[in-house]
Amino acid sequence: MCLEVKEDEGEREREEGSCLRPRVPAYSSSPIGALRQSLQSTTNSDNMAEDIEEILAEIDGSQIEEYQKFFDAFDRGKQGYIMATQIGQIMHGMEQDFDEKTLRKLIRKFDADGSGKLEFDEFCALVYTVANTVDKETLEKELREAFRLFDKEGNGYISRPTLKALLKEIADDLTDQQLEEAVDEIDEDGSGKIEFEEFWELMAGESD
């Protein structure tokens, strides 16, 4: 499910559309960490086999068949793997948009041994992750738009209750307690007024 926040006769609706929340296997213990994980899924894992298994479980049969066709087309020698250098070309063939920097990170992630070769399960996990990952620039743009919609009066800031509602839209799996803790962390000075910049810095992990 992807999140699109929009105005419709004064109401905000959740729809499938603009992807604010890529696939995430699990939340971290920190509320802010959980929110970051809800928005980004390109970090390395200590157990790649489990990561791949979790991702494959989310891919339906028709997608697997589609991935198999492209994989076989590039695995001409039927050796059971493709070269990592072919991924960009394959993604173009699949008409899948991708961010070059993000793709390089994901290739390094799924080609954990650095062999330059990706087997079919690794290929499926990589392609699916790319399709469900938002690059940082796009993420900031979409979060800024969501923030603007919640800032009804155009003050350049939102209140704590409004921030909580916004965070709930972004990560609806968080409990009320986690949301409160996240709001406390973002509103460090306790002013009750949260500007986008301080919200974004913490969400993007750019705060000191």
Side-chain angles (χ1 to χ4, degrees), residues 103-156:
L103 182 61
R104 287 195 297 270
K105 287 182 180 179
L106 288 171
I107 289 174
R108 288 196 298 270
K109 172 181 177 177
F110 289 104
D111 180 25
D113 62 0
S115 67
K117 301 174 182 178
L118 293 171
E119 296 180 358
F120 182 63
D121 58 347
E122 297 168 329
F123 168 74
C124 288
L126 188 153
V127 173
Y128 184 77
T129 302
V130 169
N132 289 274
T133 299
V134 183
D135 66 271
K136 202 168 188 178
E137 182 178 346
T138 300
L139 178 61
E140 180 178 4
K141 180 179 178 181
E142 294 188 356
L143 280 179
R144 189 179 292 277
E145 176 63 13
F147 193 92
R148 183 189 68 79
L149 293 177
F150 278 78
D151 178 18
K152 289 289 189 179
E153 298 179 0
N155 295 318

Side-chain angles (χ1 to χ4, degrees), residues 40-189:
Q40 299 168 328
S41 60
T42 60
T43 55
N44 289 326
S45 170
D46 292 332
N47 195 329
M48 185 53 57
E50 288 185 6
D51 249 19
I52 291 175
E53 185 177 344
E54 288 179 0
I55 297 171
L56 293 178
E58 297 184 16
I59 309 176
D60 63 41
S62 61
Q63 283 180 300
I64 292 290
E65 291 178 4
E66 185 72 10
Y67 293 167
Q68 186 75 63
K69 291 177 184 177
F70 281 94
F71 185 87
D72 290 345
F74 282 81
D75 178 22
R76 296 188 178 92
K78 306 304 177 188
Q79 301 177 79
Y81 64 82
I82 58 174
M83 303 306 296
T85 53
Q86 297 174 302
I87 295 298
Q89 185 179 354
I90 295 174
M91 299 295 284
H92 283 302
M94 298 175 75
E95 298 184 350
Q96 172 63 58
D97 294 332
F98 62 90
D99 174 69
E100 291 281 358
K101 185 176 180 181
T102 299
L103 182 61
R104 287 195 297 270
K105 287 182 180 179
L106 288 171
I107 289 174
R108 288 196 298 270
K109 172 181 177 177
F110 289 104
D111 180 25
D113 62 0
S115 67
K117 301 174 182 178
L118 293 171
E119 296 180 358
F120 182 63
D121 58 347
E122 297 168 329
F123 168 74
C124 288
L126 188 153
V127 173
Y128 184 77
T129 302
V130 169
N132 289 274
T133 299
V134 183
D135 66 271
K136 202 168 188 178
E137 182 178 346
T138 300
L139 178 61
E140 180 178 4
K141 180 179 178 181
E142 294 188 356
L143 280 179
R144 189 179 292 277
E145 176 63 13
F147 193 92
R148 183 189 68 79
L149 293 177
F150 278 78
D151 178 18
K152 289 289 189 179
E153 298 179 0
N155 295 318
Y157 62 83
I158 57 177
S159 65
R160 286 176 61 94
T162 302
L163 174 61
K164 185 176 178 181
L166 172 56
L167 297 181
K168 187 66 175 176
E169 288 286 339
I170 295 171
D172 58 4
D173 290 338
L174 292 185
T175 65
D176 284 341
Q177 181 178 348
Q178 287 176 312
L179 287 170
E180 286 292 345
E181 291 174 1
V183 170
D184 287 340
E185 188 169 345
I186 293 173
D187 185 25
E188 284 187 301
D189 60 5

